[in-house]
Amino acid sequence: PDAPASVFSEARASAFASSLDAPRLAGSDAEHAAFETLERALRAVAAETRAASSGRVVVDVLRTRHSGTFALRGPGVRETREQTMAYDRLDALAARVRIRVDSGATTTSEDGHPEDNARPPEVGSSSSERRDDDDDGEKISPEEPPRALLFSAHVDTVHVSPGGCDNAANVAIVLETFRAFSLGLATRSASVSPDARVSSSNRTLPTTGEITPLVVLFVSAEEDGFMGARGVVRDHPWFLKHVAAFVNFEAMGSGGPHRAFRATRGGSSSELLRLYAKGAKGAKKPSGTVVASDVFSSGFIKSDTDFRVFRDDGDVPGIDLAFVEKTRVYHTPRDTLDELVKRRPGSMQASGSNALGFARAFLERSVTETDEKINLKIQPGGVSTTSQSDVRRGAKNDETKKPVSKPPLTVWFDFPVLGAFVLIDVDGTQVAVALALVAVTSTARCFGARVKKEDGFFSFAKRLAAIVVGVVGAFVAFAAAPVAGGLAALVTASVTKTPVPWANSLGAFALCTMPYALATSTATLRLTRRCSNALWKSAAARRRANDDDDASKDEPHFSDDDDTSLLADADRAFSVSVALFLALLASFMFARELASAYLLAVPSTALFLGTVTKSWFAIAAPLAFSASLAFPTFFTLVDLAHGMTPRSRPPPGQSPYLYDIVCGVVAGGAVAATAFPTLAFLVSREFRRTSKTAEREKPRDPRRRFLSFLRHNAVLVVIVSVHAVALFAVVNTSYGFPFTEQFPQQVSAFVSVASGNVSTAALAFLPAGPGSFEGAFARTLETLAESFEDETSEASKKNGFRPLTKTCDTPATREEGSFQKYDLASYSLQGSGACVLRFATLEEELADLTASSAIATEVRVTTGASRLVSGNARAVPITVDFKGMTRWVIAVDSRCAKRVAFAQGQDAEKEDAEADADEEKTRKNKRASPPVGPWRSTSRGRAGTGTGTLRYAAFGVGGRDARLNPRPITVWIETHDDISQFSLSGDEKNGTSVSEKCARDAMRIRADADFETAIAIATTRVSPAWVVPFAKHHTPLKLAVLAVAGLEQKRSDA
């Protein structure tokens, strides 16, 4: 707290973050309070800045609300699949710092009045509720290009987590960075004479005018599908006017370095990365690697952040930062600020110092330099991966298209040993060609060593075969590591009969998988070396035979020195084969624009260098360098996979051990990427050494043969022993289950109830990861039954208490169809491994709460008459009133609908009723009409897992104002021309046709409320210590109200 005003202070940031350390669901009172707290803090910064700078530096604060819909594709799925996201009056809070460089001018606020921070602008005065579906916003070409750097952090959390690291810590980092940056500018501006220009380092500002170097943004609904950021990008006046680049602050764990795990490509991206690296003067160097960016781009990690919105919809270059350590606390109640501050103190300080240095460097290079010859211009554009033109800044009719030239490939990584952050711009194709040329040249040099004309064709062919065998063997050895890791993980899980048996120990997981990957790769390399050496010796034997035939001609005889040289040649040939494989793989990756290939290019070059210099040190040093580069990166990826696997459930119908295999493959891949080049080098040296002494050490008796076997296979013996110990540690856990109180199982618990029918109430326990609660939850269910029977024993005698009943998702219940009624619209509990409890106490509680209007357990749905929309196409409007619940899902069966459109705020039922009551005007002119666009094709849907059908889903989230002043949504469903072309699944048939099914069940609806019943609270009390609440995007809140709507028409067209 006592740190200078212009310095980032972790103490100040932590103090502010502690005020936000509570669940902040989008649209909740808690989130509203967090925005209010943030706004007060920003206005305090504005007042301090104005006072310190005598009005030369001004901070503006703007609160806005945003509404709209957009199609979201991904993450982690094919681009052909999508879902619609609908946001209604979501809050956003922004602040900017402006530098007035003409001292005689009067500083004014955003609305043109003299600046007076005692008179705050109206909250929501710039509220925008425009639909942005068709990208029909105004195309603006500002006179001055955007120059500001944007720091963004989301305020909301999932409903079960206080969000200490995700994202209270990041909100505090952005706020404290903005305070230090603004007050630093203010202090510096006050220290110069009125006629002097405000200076920054050795650069100067323009003599007149105004610049905006930094904007900070706090958004909502990131956890629900990046809706808040989308609203800002589409509607916020400052984003379009000022933002040239961005940094998004995120978390997938708790603490550690703030890793740059993604960066945009194209445009000014590489310049931005260089500036980010340079800006961290006097602080911990930035951390991150392009490998993480490539992993995210592959879709392996099925999650995303606001980064994608700023990149794709905003089309501005940027960087994504995240805390990724201790992933197991992510989205759980254990994500507290104490977890971050006490376990990894200094995390916020390092992040904030880097961010502050970056902001100042950005001001120095991108804003204050006036000499255009050396000006580093960081400008928006050229980075979107989805748009063909910049719809925000392009000319009318989008005639200004993006350049078709391919952007350079940027290789970037931190090198912890030297504390450096390295960035290199390369052309992927050129690097691929260069690597291929080096590979061919080195191979030719090795292949041509000691070749004589008299060796003959067969000797030549055998040398060539030795090289080919070496390359193929290297490929097999490299691929064997991840395969062995996956198989070891599968075997371990199968032996324990439990998915993810190592959830409570990263060390046990590593010992169960990595040694096998290491041993398999080593054994394959040894076998390859033997085969390659045998071919090389065969070629040498033919030369010896030829030499013996020519001995009578007094030509040079084949000596023992030649044997040694040929052995050295064989050693180099093996090294070249491995290097050739690595170089070809790196070339392929570079050609595919994967910058991660640098991890293979470095060791391949080292091996090639060793064949030229004939020095083992010339190979060992670069290989050690390569391993030190790869190890931190892949250790982080293994830790991340280990943390995410217990919360990742295989799709229905897949093996419950699917993610065990995936996790093992990641571990084996880490071994291959990190250790493979060094293994090849060691095998080469070992084989050469053992070949020289092979004749001397040949054991004759069985005892010596056995000891020789143990000596040469000591690694395998150690691996088997280590795995036995690790397996014992894995299975020796509490409850005979792989989870403990320290490493818990993550569970989503909620109450589901059919709309208007509390007798259907059920309490569901949904595991986030693989497996079922059938066995693991047995004692908990018994305890629950005893608890409720004791508490309601007297009432049960009078009211006919129905004892607790339990239904768990098992193969038997799936065949019976017991879980089909638990349809959550976007997916079903069928195949989820869930357990559902039903008892009268829960029904009575919900009935009392509904009668007292404490909660809503009903969704009002009205189906209107069909009408022509275009040509012969007909559409049916279905109006849904969520009764103030602002988080919802609407899923339309693709068999019942061809296209669907969502009109947020439209009440088609009311419009039709008013038309019927108005006798002076025709119904045709007054009846509700569908939106002009966009219409979504249901064939692009991605929802419906466990329901047996494909559904197109829309996910909606509203802000606090949407909750206090709710409005309905109308879903327009265009039916198929011929619905008889579709068929029903076996569970749906029962003599029902598709048309009959669609008449009553074309659309499924779920409305969520963040309300926890007393029964749910009691359940938490008696649950095992290893059960911890968890939530993600599709997870219901604490109460889920389910409804069904059909296409059955109430009336015909007039």
Side-chain angles (χ1 to χ4, degrees):
D2 298 328
S6 60
V7 174
F8 183 94
S9 168
E10 183 177 63
R12 283 192 294 254
S14 298
F16 182 84
S18 63
S19 67
L20 307 180
D21 202 15
R24 302 175 299 281
L25 181 70
S28 65
D29 289 333
E31 188 202 46
H32 177 75
F35 272 110
E36 292 289 318
T37 303
L38 263 171
E39 187 172 2
R40 287 194 296 271
L42 288 171
R43 294 200 178 281
V45 171
E48 291 181 64
T49 302
R50 176 178 171 81
S53 67
S54 301
R56 297 179 187 175
V57 180
V58 180
V59 169
D60 300 314
V61 181
L62 184 62
R63 184 90 165 261
T64 57
R65 295 190 306 274
H66 304 270
S67 300
T69 65
F70 65 97
L72 177 68
R73 297 186 180 96
V77 299
R78 299 190 307 274
E79 286 296 305
T80 56
R81 300 298 179 187
E82 70 178 28
Q83 56 197 2
T84 289
M85 316 304 289
Y87 51 97
D88 186 14
R89 289 164 282 178
L90 288 177
D91 277 317
L93 181 63
R96 66 179 179 182
V97 56
R98 292 183 290 136
I99 307 173
R100 299 287 300 185
V101 294
D102 48 339
S103 57
T106 302
T107 304
T108 58
S109 64
E110 175 72 14
D111 55 10
H113 294 285
E115 180 67 25
D116 181 5
N117 282 292
R119 185 186 61 79
E122 292 181 36
V123 174
S125 59
S126 294
S127 173
S128 174
E129 298 182 13
R130 174 178 61 82
R131 288 173 60 95
D132 61 11
D133 306 286
D134 292 315
D135 292 335
D136 56 354
E138 180 184 2
K139 307 296 189 297
I140 302 176
S141 299
E143 294 180 2
E144 292 295 328
R147 293 187 174 187
L149 177 63
L150 173 72
F151 285 166
S152 177
H154 69 88
V155 178
D156 64 306
T157 69
V158 293
H159 67 283
V160 299
S161 174
C165 198
D166 182 24
N167 209 32
N170 285 311
V171 168
I173 288 169
V174 171
L175 174 65
E176 173 64 11
T177 301
F178 183 73
R179 183 205 59 75
F181 181 84
S182 301
L183 291 177
L185 283 177
T187 303
R188 191 158 56 243
S189 69
S191 66
V192 299
S193 63
D195 296 330
R197 294 180 295 170
V198 180
S199 65
S200 175
S201 183
N202 60 336
R203 304 178 189 273
T204 57
L205 294 172
T207 55
T208 60
E210 177 182 284
I211 60 172
T212 302
L214 182 64
V215 176
V216 293
L217 174 66
F218 305 98
V219 296
S220 177
E222 188 274 344
E223 302 291 3
D224 293 290
F226 334 118
M227 301 186 199
R230 168 70 181 207
V232 167
V233 167
R234 294 299 305 169
D235 300 329
H236 202 289
W238 291 359
F239 191 89
L240 175 62
K241 182 178 181 180
H242 296 308
V243 176
F246 74 92
V247 178
N248 186 51
F249 290 77
E250 259 292 353
M252 284 187 66
S254 181
H258 224 161
R259 289 183 171 88
F261 70 100
R262 277 196 300 182
T264 54
R265 187 176 169 215
S268 303
S269 299
S270 59
E271 292 88 346
L272 186 70
L273 276 168
R274 282 190 171 80
L275 207 55
Y276 173 66
K278 178 186 176 182
K281 296 177 181 178
K284 289 186 89 172
K285 286 292 181 181
S287 176
T289 172
V290 71
V291 175
S293 187
D294 285 347
V295 170
F296 247 88
S297 299
S298 71
F300 174 74
I301 299 178
K302 295 179 174 60
S303 62
D304 221 318
T305 70
D306 286 336
F307 172 90
R308 69 172 291 172
V309 174
F310 296 131
R311 176 196 64 194
D312 293 340
D313 298 311
D315 200 20
V316 290
I319 304 169
D320 214 0
L321 304 178
F323 295 115
V324 297
E325 289 186 1
K326 206 172 182 181
T327 313
R328 60 182 177 273
V329 307
Y330 172 65
H331 281 194
T332 74
R334 300 186 176 204
D335 180 15
T336 63
L337 191 65
D338 282 348
E339 178 71 29
L340 169 67
V341 174
K342 293 180 179 179
R343 193 182 69 86
R344 290 300 300 269
S347 295
M348 295 175 70
Q349 183 65 51
S351 175
S353 298
N354 285 345
L356 182 58
F358 180 32
R360 287 172 175 163
F362 194 91
L363 173 62
E364 269 187 29
R365 295 291 300 277
S366 294
V367 178
T368 61
E369 184 59 66
T370 57
D371 185 350
E372 292 191 1
K373 293 182 179 180
I374 58 174
N375 184 23
L376 177 62
K377 294 181 179 179
I378 295 180
Q379 294 296 331
V383 299
S384 175
T385 62
T386 59
S387 302
Q388 293 302 311
S389 63
D390 188 345
V391 297
R392 295 169 48 256
R393 298 182 174 85
K396 291 182 179 180
N397 301 321
D398 293 342
E399 66 261 21
T400 302
K401 300 293 183 181
K402 291 183 180 181
V404 296
S405 59
K406 186 171 61 176
L409 191 64
T410 303
V411 177
W412 48 277
F413 55 89
D414 66 295
F415 192 28
V417 177
L418 300 179
F421 196 82
V422 181
L423 295 103
I424 306 172
D425 282 337
V426 299
D427 183 295
T429 303
Q430 291 181 3
V431 173
V433 172
L435 274 174
L437 288 175
V438 171
V440 171
T441 303
S442 300
T443 304
R445 184 182 185 283
C446 173
F447 186 78
R450 299 176 60 81
V451 174
K452 296 181 179 180
K453 292 182 179 179
E454 59 271 19
D455 286 346
F457 172 77
F458 289 104
S459 178
F460 177 88
K462 287 180 179 179
R463 288 175 183 241
L464 178 62
I467 297 292
V468 173
V469 167
V471 172
V472 174
F475 166 74
V476 174
F478 190 86
V483 171
L487 288 176
L490 174 62
V491 170
T492 303
S494 301
V495 168
T496 59
K497 298 182 179 179
T498 304
V500 202
W502 45 68
N504 60 9
S505 174
L506 175 61
F509 162 69
L511 293 177
C512 283
T513 54
M514 288 186 172
Y516 285 103
L518 194 66
T520 305
S521 187
T522 303
T524 309
L525 284 172
R526 281 180 171 176
L527 179 61
T528 301
R529 182 66 177 90
R530 285 184 179 276
C531 295
S532 176
N533 189 69
L535 288 169
W536 208 264
K537 279 187 174 181
S538 178
R542 187 168 188 86
R543 173 184 290 188
R544 184 187 294 273
N546 291 339
D547 192 69
D548 289 341
D549 292 339
D550 296 335
S552 59
K553 301 178 182 178
D554 296 327
E555 294 187 6
H557 191 70
F558 198 93
S559 65
D560 291 338
D561 289 337
D562 290 320
D563 282 336
T564 303
S565 298
L566 282 171
L567 189 61
D569 288 343
D571 177 51
R572 282 194 293 275
F574 176 72
S575 296
V576 164
S577 298
V578 174
L580 180 59
F581 160 70
L582 292 174
L584 292 176
L585 181 57
S587 298
F588 173 78
M589 293 176 66
F590 273 124
R592 300 280 294 181
E593 303 295 322
L594 293 173
S596 305
Y598 78 90
L599 291 174
L600 301 177
V602 172
S604 67
T605 305
L607 290 172
F608 281 134
L609 180 65
T611 62
V612 174
T613 62
K614 302 181 181 181
S615 168
W616 70 269
F617 180 77
I619 307 177
L623 287 180
F625 172 77
S626 172
S628 65
L629 279 182
F631 179 77
T633 297
F634 285 98
F635 175 81
T636 301
L637 288 177
V638 170
D639 187 27
L640 184 64
H642 175 261
M644 295 297 290
T645 302
R647 67 173 60 180
S648 303
R649 185 171 187 83
Q654 299 290 337
S655 167
Y657 304 124
L658 173 64
Y659 288 121
D660 295 86
I661 299 172
V662 171
C663 201
V665 167
V666 171
V671 169
T674 305
F676 177 78
T678 305
L679 286 178
F681 170 69
L682 294 176
V683 166
S684 173
R685 301 296 297 181
E686 174 198 38
F687 196 92
R688 187 176 181 184
R689 184 177 62 253
T690 55
S691 296
K692 291 179 180 180
T693 57
E695 293 298 324
R696 235 180 16 251
E697 295 183 353
K698 279 187 179 179
R700 298 301 179 186
D701 59 89
R703 179 174 174 275
R704 293 186 64 187
R705 285 179 181 272
F706 178 71
L707 292 176
S708 177
F709 172 82
L710 291 181
R711 184 170 65 254
H712 287 93
N713 295 276
V715 174
L716 182 61
V717 174
V718 171
I719 286 173
V720 173
S721 303
V722 166
H723 184 262
V725 174
L727 189 60
F728 176 78
V730 163
V731 300
N732 188 27
T733 57
S734 303
Y735 300 99
F737 206 63
F739 300 99
T740 64
E741 186 172 359
Q742 183 182 3
F743 295 82
Q745 163 70 296
Q746 294 160 352
V747 179
S748 297
F750 58 92
V751 173
S752 72
V753 58
S755 177
N757 187 2
V758 295
S759 64
T760 61
L763 181 59
F765 296 92
L766 180 65
S772 172
F773 285 153
E774 175 68 17
F777 241 22
R779 281 191 283 177
T780 298
L781 298 176
E782 294 172 3
T783 306
L784 276 173
E786 294 171 0
S787 172
F788 292 129
E789 286 175 3
D790 292 342
E791 293 178 7
T792 61
S793 57
E794 293 299 325
S796 64
K797 295 177 182 178
K798 299 178 181 179
N799 302 327
F801 175 76
R802 184 171 69 251
L804 179 145
T805 59
K806 173 198 74 171
T807 306
C808 287
D809 177 49
T810 62
T813 56
R814 288 171 207 159
E815 289 183 6
E816 297 170 1
S818 304
F819 267 67
Q820 280 195 327
K821 55 187 173 184
Y822 301 111
D823 191 328
L824 303 179
S826 56
Y827 67 101
S828 169
L829 292 187
Q830 181 114 332
S832 66
C835 280
V836 172
L837 311 181
R838 296 189 60 192
F839 38 88
T841 312
L842 176 61
E843 298 169 14
E844 294 167 2
E845 180 185 12
L846 286 178
D848 293 341
L849 290 170
T850 303
S852 64
S853 300
I855 59 172
T857 56
E858 181 181 8
V859 174
R860 188 169 182 272
V861 182
T862 306
T863 302
S866 69
R867 59 207 71 190
L868 293 174
V869 288
S870 63
N872 294 324
R874 307 187 69 84
V876 176
I878 301 179
T879 303
V880 185
D881 182 359
F882 293 103
K883 302 291 186 180
M885 289 178 279
T886 56
R887 190 175 186 264
W888 49 263
V889 184
I890 295 176
V892 180
D893 193 330
S894 62
R895 296 170 300 183
C896 305
K898 180 180 181 180
R899 298 193 304 164
V900 61
F902 303 91
Q904 195 163 232
Q906 182 184 29
D907 190 340
E909 178 194 12
K910 182 179 179 180
E911 293 179 25
D912 284 351
E914 290 175 349
D916 290 341
D918 190 350
E919 298 179 356
E920 297 181 0
K921 296 183 179 180
T922 63
R923 182 192 307 174
K924 183 177 181 181
N925 293 332
K926 291 287 293 182
R927 288 177 59 192
S929 58
V932 176
W935 285 84
R936 312 292 189 194
S937 172
T938 58
S939 63
R940 299 177 69 92
R942 52 176 291 195
T945 301
T947 65
T949 186
L950 176 68
R951 293 175 178 174
Y952 190 96
F955 295 84
V957 173
R960 181 172 179 266
D961 191 52
R963 177 165 55 86
L964 298 178
N965 301 288
R967 57 189 184 185
I969 183 171
T970 295
V971 183
W972 292 85
I973 296 178
E974 180 185 323
T975 55
H976 290 283
D977 296 333
D978 181 13
I979 205 170
S980 62
Q981 61 182 303
F982 300 97
S983 61
L984 298 173
S985 63
D987 295 332
E988 294 175 316
K989 287 181 179 177
N990 298 322
T992 303
S993 66
V994 177
S995 59
E996 290 173 326
K997 187 264 180 189
C998 292
R1000 67 173 189 274
D1001 184 13
M1003 190 168 79
R1004 292 276 175 163
I1005 303 163
R1006 188 185 86 222
D1008 294 338
D1010 189 29
F1011 184 91
E1012 191 170 26
T1013 67
I1015 299 300
I1017 295 173
T1019 305
T1020 303
R1021 283 202 310 266
V1022 298
S1023 295
W1026 48 263
V1027 171
V1028 63
F1030 171 74
K1032 52 186 175 182
H1033 171 48
H1034 286 181
T1035 304
L1037 300 184
K1038 296 169 185 176
L1039 176 65
V1041 180
L1042 311 177
V1044 179
L1047 300 179
E1048 186 174 3
Q1049 300 177 6
K1050 290 184 176 180
R1051 58 191 174 189
S1052 60
D1053 288 324

